[in-house]
Coordinates of all heavy atoms in Angstrom, one line a residue:
S588 N 134.4 59.0 41.4 CA 133.7 58.3 40.3 C 134.8 57.7 39.5 O 136.0 57.9 39.7 CB 132.8 59.2 39.5 OG 133.5 60.3 39.1
V589 N 134.4 56.9 38.5 CA 135.4 56.2 37.6 C 136.2 57.2 36.9 O 135.8 58.3 36.5 CB 134.6 55.4 36.5 CG1 135.5 54.8 35.5 CG2 133.9 54.2 37.3
I590 N 137.5 57.0 36.8 CA 138.5 57.9 36.0 C 139.2 57.1 34.9 O 139.3 55.9 35.0 CB 139.5 58.6 37.0 CG1 140.3 57.5 37.8 CG2 138.8 59.5 37.9 CD1 141.5 58.1 38.5
H591 N 139.7 57.9 34.0 CA 140.5 57.3 32.9 C 141.9 57.9 32.9 O 142.1 59.1 33.1 CB 139.9 57.6 31.5 CG 138.6 56.9 31.3 ND1 137.4 57.4 31.7 CD2 138.3 55.6 30.8 CE1 136.4 56.5 31.5 NE2 137.0 55.4 30.9
V592 N 142.9 57.0 32.9 CA 144.3 57.4 32.8 C 145.0 56.6 31.8 O 144.9 55.4 31.8 CB 145.0 57.2 34.2 CG1 146.5 57.5 34.1 CG2 144.4 58.0 35.3
H593 N 145.6 57.4 30.8 CA 146.1 56.7 29.6 C 145.0 55.9 29.0 O 143.9 56.5 28.8 CB 147.3 55.8 29.9 CG 148.6 56.6 30.3 ND1 149.1 57.5 29.4 CD2 149.4 56.6 31.3 CE1 150.2 58.0 30.0 NE2 150.4 57.5 31.2
D594 N 145.2 54.6 28.8 CA 144.2 53.8 28.1 C 143.3 53.0 29.0 O 142.5 52.2 28.6 CB 145.0 52.8 27.2 CG 146.0 52.0 28.0 OD1 146.5 52.5 29.0 OD2 146.3 50.9 27.5
K595 N 143.5 53.3 30.4 CA 142.8 52.4 31.3 C 141.8 53.1 32.2 O 141.8 54.3 32.4 CB 143.9 51.7 32.2 CG 144.9 50.9 31.5 CD 145.1 49.5 32.0 CE 146.2 48.8 31.4 NZ 146.1 48.6 29.9
Q596 N 140.9 52.2 32.7 CA 139.8 52.7 33.5 C 140.1 52.3 35.0 O 140.5 51.2 35.2 CB 138.5 52.1 33.1 CG 137.3 52.9 33.4 CD 136.0 52.2 32.9 OE1 135.9 51.0 33.1 NE2 135.1 53.0 32.4
F597 N 139.8 53.3 35.9 CA 140.1 52.9 37.3 C 138.8 53.3 38.2 O 138.2 54.3 37.9 CB 141.3 53.8 37.8 CG 142.6 53.4 37.2 CD1 143.0 53.9 36.0 CD2 143.4 52.5 37.9 CE1 144.2 53.5 35.4 CE2 144.7 52.1 37.3 CZ 145.0 52.7 36.1
H598 N 138.6 52.4 39.1 CA 137.4 52.6 40.0 C 137.9 53.2 41.4 O 138.9 52.8 41.9 CB 136.7 51.2 40.2 CG 136.0 50.8 39.0 ND1 135.5 49.5 38.9 CD2 135.8 51.4 37.8 CE1 135.0 49.3 37.7 NE2 135.1 50.5 37.0
P599 N 137.0 53.9 42.0 CA 137.3 54.4 43.3 C 137.6 53.3 44.3 O 136.9 52.2 44.3 CB 136.0 55.1 43.8 CG 135.3 55.5 42.5 CD 135.7 54.3 41.5
F600 N 138.6 53.5 45.1 CA 139.0 52.4 46.1 C 139.2 53.0 47.5 O 138.5 52.5 48.4 CB 140.3 51.8 45.6 CG 140.8 50.6 46.4 CD1 139.9 49.6 46.8 CD2 142.2 50.6 46.8 CE1 140.4 48.5 47.6 CE2 142.6 49.5 47.6 CZ 141.7 48.5 48.0
L601 N 140.0 54.0 47.7 CA 140.1 54.5 49.1 C 139.9 56.1 48.9 O 140.7 56.7 48.2 CB 141.5 54.2 49.6 CG 141.9 52.8 49.9 CD1 143.4 52.6 50.2 CD2 141.0 52.2 51.0
S602 N 139.0 56.6 49.7 CA 138.7 58.0 49.6 C 139.8 58.8 50.4 O 140.5 58.3 51.2 CB 137.4 58.3 50.2 OG 137.5 58.1 51.6
P603 N 139.9 60.1 50.0 CA 140.9 61.0 50.7 C 140.6 60.9 52.2 O 141.6 60.9 53.0 CB 140.6 62.4 50.2 CG 140.1 62.1 48.7 CD 139.3 60.8 48.9
G604 N 139.4 60.9 52.6 CA 139.1 60.8 54.1 C 139.6 59.6 54.7 O 140.1 59.6 55.8
Q605 N 139.4 58.4 54.1 CA 139.9 57.2 54.6 C 141.4 57.2 54.7 O 141.9 56.7 55.7 CB 139.5 56.0 53.7 CG 138.0 55.6 53.8 CD 137.7 54.5 52.7 OE1 137.8 54.8 51.5 NE2 137.5 53.3 53.1
I606 N 142.0 57.8 53.7 CA 143.5 57.8 53.8 C 143.9 58.7 54.9 O 144.8 58.3 55.7 CB 144.0 58.3 52.4 CG1 143.7 57.4 51.3 CG2 145.5 58.6 52.5 CD1 143.9 57.9 49.9
Q607 N 143.4 59.8 55.0 CA 143.8 60.8 56.1 C 143.6 60.2 57.5 O 144.3 60.4 58.4 CB 143.1 62.1 56.0 CG 143.5 62.9 54.7 CD 145.0 63.1 54.6 OE1 145.8 63.3 55.5 NE2 145.6 62.9 53.4
D608 N 142.5 59.4 57.7 CA 142.3 58.8 59.0 C 143.4 57.8 59.3 O 143.9 57.7 60.5 CB 140.9 58.0 59.0 CG 139.7 58.9 59.1 OD1 139.9 60.1 59.3 OD2 138.6 58.4 58.9
R609 N 143.8 57.0 58.3 CA 144.9 56.1 58.6 C 146.2 56.8 58.9 O 147.0 56.4 59.7 CB 145.0 55.0 57.4 CG 143.9 54.0 57.3 CD 143.8 53.2 58.6 NE 145.1 52.5 58.9 CZ 145.5 52.2 60.1 NH1 144.8 52.6 61.1 NH2 146.6 51.6 60.3
V610 N 146.5 57.9 58.1 CA 147.7 58.6 58.2 C 147.8 59.2 59.6 O 148.8 59.1 60.3 CB 147.8 59.7 57.2 CG1 149.0 60.7 57.5 CG2 147.9 59.1 55.8
A611 N 146.6 59.7 60.1 CA 146.6 60.2 61.5 C 146.8 59.1 62.5 O 147.5 59.4 63.5 CB 145.2 60.8 61.7
S612 N 146.3 57.9 62.3 CA 146.6 56.8 63.3 C 148.0 56.5 63.3 O 148.6 56.2 64.3 CB 145.8 55.6 62.9 OG 144.4 55.9 62.8
I613 N 148.6 56.4 62.1 CA 150.1 56.0 62.0 C 150.9 57.1 62.7 O 151.8 56.8 63.5 CB 150.5 55.8 60.5 CG1 149.7 54.6 59.9 CG2 152.0 55.6 60.4 CD1 149.9 54.5 58.4
A614 N 150.6 58.3 62.4 CA 151.3 59.4 63.0 C 151.2 59.4 64.6 O 152.2 59.6 65.3 CB 150.8 60.8 62.5
A615 N 150.0 59.0 65.1 CA 149.8 59.0 66.5 C 150.7 57.9 67.1 O 151.3 58.0 68.2 CB 148.3 58.7 66.8
A616 N 150.8 56.7 66.4 CA 151.6 55.6 66.9 C 153.0 56.0 66.8 O 153.8 55.7 67.8 CB 151.3 54.4 66.0
L617 N 153.5 56.7 65.9 CA 154.9 57.2 65.8 C 155.2 58.2 66.8 O 156.3 58.1 67.5 CB 155.2 57.7 64.4 CG 155.2 56.7 63.2 CD1 155.1 57.4 61.9 CD2 156.5 55.9 63.2
N618 N 154.3 59.0 67.1 CA 154.5 60.1 68.1 C 154.7 59.4 69.5 O 155.5 59.9 70.3 CB 153.3 61.1 68.2 CG 153.4 62.1 67.0 OD1 154.5 62.5 66.6 ND2 152.2 62.5 66.6
K619 N 154.0 58.3 69.7 CA 154.1 57.6 71.0 C 155.4 56.8 71.0 O 156.2 56.9 71.9 CB 152.9 56.7 71.1 CG 152.8 56.0 72.4 CD 151.3 55.5 72.5 CE 151.2 54.4 73.6 NZ 151.6 53.1 73.1
D620 N 155.7 56.0 69.9 CA 156.8 55.1 69.9 C 158.1 55.8 69.9 O 159.1 55.2 70.4 CB 156.7 54.2 68.7 CG 155.5 53.2 68.8 OD1 154.8 53.2 69.8 OD2 155.2 52.6 67.8
Y621 N 158.1 57.0 69.4 CA 159.4 57.7 69.2 C 159.5 59.0 70.1 O 160.3 59.9 69.8 CB 159.7 58.1 67.8 CG 160.0 56.9 66.9 CD1 159.0 56.1 66.3 CD2 161.3 56.4 66.8 CE1 159.3 55.0 65.6 CE2 161.6 55.2 66.1 CZ 160.6 54.5 65.5 OH 160.9 53.4 64.8
E622 N 158.6 59.0 71.2 CA 158.5 60.2 72.0 C 159.8 60.8 72.5 O 160.1 62.0 72.4 CB 157.6 59.8 73.2 CG 157.1 61.0 73.9 CD 156.1 60.6 75.0 OE1 155.9 59.4 75.2 OE2 155.6 61.6 75.7
S623 N 160.7 59.9 73.0 CA 162.0 60.4 73.6 C 163.1 60.2 72.6 O 164.3 60.3 73.1 CB 162.2 59.7 74.9 OG 162.2 58.3 74.7
K624 N 162.9 60.0 71.3 CA 164.0 59.7 70.4 C 164.0 60.8 69.3 O 163.1 61.7 69.4 CB 163.8 58.3 69.8 CG 163.8 57.2 70.8 CD 163.6 55.9 70.2 CE 163.7 54.8 71.2 NZ 163.2 53.5 70.8
K625 N 164.9 60.7 68.4 CA 164.9 61.7 67.4 C 165.1 61.0 66.0 O 166.1 60.9 65.5 CB 166.0 62.7 67.5 CG 165.9 64.0 66.6 CD 166.9 65.1 67.0 CE 168.2 64.7 66.6 NZ 169.2 65.8 66.8
P626 N 164.0 60.3 65.6 CA 164.1 59.4 64.4 C 164.4 60.2 63.2 O 164.1 61.3 63.0 CB 162.7 58.8 64.3 CG 161.8 59.7 65.0 CD 162.6 60.4 66.1
L627 N 165.1 59.4 62.2 CA 165.3 59.9 60.9 C 164.4 59.2 59.9 O 164.5 58.0 59.8 CB 166.8 59.7 60.5 CG 167.1 59.9 59.0 CD1 167.0 61.4 58.7 CD2 168.5 59.5 58.7
F628 N 163.5 60.0 59.3 CA 162.6 59.3 58.3 C 163.3 59.4 57.0 O 163.8 60.4 56.6 CB 161.3 60.1 58.3 CG 160.4 59.8 59.5 CD1 160.6 60.4 60.7 CD2 159.4 58.9 59.4 CE1 159.8 60.0 61.8 CE2 158.5 58.5 60.4 CZ 158.8 59.1 61.6
I629 N 163.2 58.2 56.3 CA 163.8 58.2 55.0 C 162.6 57.8 54.0 O 162.1 56.7 54.0 CB 164.9 57.1 54.8 CG1 166.0 57.4 55.8 CG2 165.3 57.0 53.4 CD1 167.1 56.3 55.7
A630 N 162.2 58.8 53.2 CA 161.1 58.6 52.3 C 161.6 58.2 51.0 O 162.5 58.8 50.4 CB 160.2 59.9 52.2
I631 N 161.1 57.1 50.4 CA 161.5 56.6 49.1 C 160.7 57.1 48.0 O 159.5 57.0 47.9 CB 161.5 55.1 49.1 CG1 162.4 54.6 50.3 CG2 162.0 54.5 47.8 CD1 162.5 53.0 50.4
L632 N 161.4 57.9 47.1 CA 160.7 58.6 46.0 C 160.6 57.6 44.8 O 161.2 56.7 44.8 CB 161.6 59.8 45.6 CG 161.7 60.9 46.6 CD1 162.7 62.0 46.1 CD2 160.3 61.6 46.8
N633 N 159.6 57.9 43.9 CA 158.8 59.0 43.9 C 157.5 58.9 44.6 O 156.9 59.8 45.2 CB 158.4 59.4 42.4 CG 159.6 59.8 41.6 OD1 160.4 60.5 42.1 ND2 159.6 59.4 40.3
G634 N 157.0 57.6 44.6 CA 155.6 57.4 45.1 C 155.2 57.8 46.5 O 154.1 58.1 46.7
S635 N 156.2 57.9 47.4 CA 155.8 58.2 48.8 C 155.7 59.7 49.1 O 155.4 60.0 50.3 CB 156.9 57.6 49.7 OG 158.1 58.4 49.7
F636 N 155.9 60.6 48.2 CA 156.1 62.0 48.5 C 154.8 62.5 49.2 O 154.9 63.3 50.2 CB 156.4 62.9 47.3 CG 155.3 63.1 46.3 CD1 154.5 64.3 46.4 CD2 155.0 62.2 45.3 CE1 153.5 64.5 45.5 CE2 154.0 62.4 44.4 CZ 153.2 63.5 44.5
M637 N 153.6 62.1 48.8 CA 152.3 62.7 49.4 C 152.1 62.1 50.8 O 151.8 62.8 51.6 CB 151.2 62.3 48.4 CG 150.3 63.5 48.3 SD 149.0 63.2 47.1 CE 149.5 64.1 45.7
F638 N 152.3 60.8 50.9 CA 152.1 60.1 52.2 C 153.2 60.7 53.2 O 152.8 61.0 54.3 CB 152.3 58.6 52.0 CG 152.3 57.8 53.3 CD1 151.4 58.0 54.3 CD2 153.2 56.8 53.4 CE1 151.4 57.2 55.4 CE2 153.3 56.0 54.6 CZ 152.4 56.2 55.6
A639 N 154.4 60.9 52.7 CA 155.4 61.4 53.6 C 155.1 62.8 54.1 O 155.2 63.1 55.3 CB 156.8 61.4 52.9
A640 N 154.6 63.6 53.2 CA 154.3 65.0 53.6 C 153.1 65.1 54.6 O 153.2 65.7 55.6 CB 153.9 65.8 52.3
D641 N 152.1 64.2 54.3 CA 150.9 64.2 55.2 C 151.3 63.7 56.6 O 150.8 64.2 57.6 CB 149.7 63.5 54.6 CG 149.0 64.2 53.5 OD1 149.2 65.5 53.5 OD2 148.2 63.7 52.8
L642 N 152.1 62.6 56.5 CA 152.5 62.0 57.8 C 153.4 62.9 58.6 O 153.2 63.1 59.8 CB 153.2 60.6 57.5 CG 153.6 59.7 58.6 CD1 152.4 59.2 59.3 CD2 154.5 58.6 58.1
F643 N 154.4 63.5 57.9 CA 155.4 64.3 58.6 C 154.7 65.5 59.3 O 155.1 65.9 60.4 CB 156.5 64.7 57.6 CG 157.8 64.9 58.3 CD1 158.5 63.9 58.9 CD2 158.4 66.2 58.3 CE1 159.7 64.2 59.5 CE2 159.5 66.5 58.9 CZ 160.2 65.4 59.5
K644 N 153.7 66.1 58.6 CA 153.0 67.2 59.2 C 152.3 66.9 60.5 O 152.1 67.8 61.4 CB 151.9 67.7 58.2 CG 152.3 68.7 57.1 CD 151.1 69.2 56.4 CE 150.7 68.1 55.4 NZ 149.7 68.6 54.4
R645 N 152.0 65.7 60.7 CA 151.3 65.3 61.9 C 152.2 64.8 63.0 O 151.8 64.4 64.1 CB 150.3 64.1 61.6 CG 149.2 64.5 60.7 CD 148.3 63.3 60.4 NE 147.3 63.7 59.4 CZ 146.1 64.1 59.8 NH1 145.8 64.3 61.1 NH2 145.1 64.3 58.8
L646 N 153.6 64.8 62.8 CA 154.5 64.4 63.8 C 154.8 65.6 64.8 O 155.0 66.7 64.3 CB 155.8 63.9 63.2 CG 155.6 62.6 62.4 CD1 156.9 62.2 61.8 CD2 155.0 61.4 63.1

Side-chain angles (χ1 to χ4, degrees):
S588 52
V589 171
I590 56 167
H591 290 87
V592 175
H593 290 302
D594 55 334
K595 303 232 184 304
Q596 206 182 40
F597 292 83
H598 291 167
F600 182 47
L601 297 168
S602 70
Q605 284 174 292
I606 295 168
Q607 292 308 321
D608 283 353
R609 287 302 303 146
V610 173
S612 304
I613 295 170
L617 289 164
N618 283 328
K619 187 161 161 282
D620 294 351
Y621 290 89
E622 197 178 357
S623 54
K624 299 178 175 165
K625 193 169 76 177
L627 170 64
F628 284 79
I629 300 178
I631 301 180
L632 295 173
N633 293 324
S635 75
F636 75 96
M637 220 176 259
F638 175 44
D641 283 345
L642 186 66
F643 208 65
K644 272 186 283 190
R645 293 176 185 270
L646 297 180

